[in-house]
Amino acid sequence: MTGHLERLSRNEMNELVERAGGRSSSSVSKNTSLVVAGEGAGSKRAKAEQLGVRLATPEEFAVLVADLLG
């Protein structure tokens, strides 16, 4: 997660990731599956783009997690 996240805290988002069977990380690498990029996302978003890692808005992330937990 990078940038400003309006609705949920980073801790809440991390909990959702784990409940959905994922793992969160503080860095972006070639092993990263998804980066949630909020407003004002900077170097982590750029690194994700460089590595071809999928980007999602916080809203898109919410839909993905809802589908997995639903």
Side-chain angles (χ1 to χ4, degrees):
M1 288 158 262
T2 185
H4 178 70
L5 308 172
E6 289 185 25
R7 299 190 179 191
L8 296 174
S9 72
R10 292 191 193 296
N11 285 339
E12 290 169 322
M13 295 206 33
N14 286 335
E15 287 177 22
L16 287 173
V17 167
E18 290 175 11
R19 285 182 44 209
R23 193 171 47 132
S24 64
S25 173
S26 61
S27 61
V28 178
S29 75
K30 65 179 182 170
N31 296 321
T32 303
S33 302
L34 176 74
V35 171
V36 179
E39 196 172 317
S43 62
K44 286 183 186 176
R45 179 187 180 112
K47 184 158 187 182
E49 289 172 343
Q50 175 187 9
L51 294 172
V53 173
R54 181 178 174 191
L55 292 166
T57 65
E59 293 78 16
E60 292 167 334
F61 170 77
V63 171
L64 286 170
V65 171
D67 287 346
L68 290 171
L69 296 177

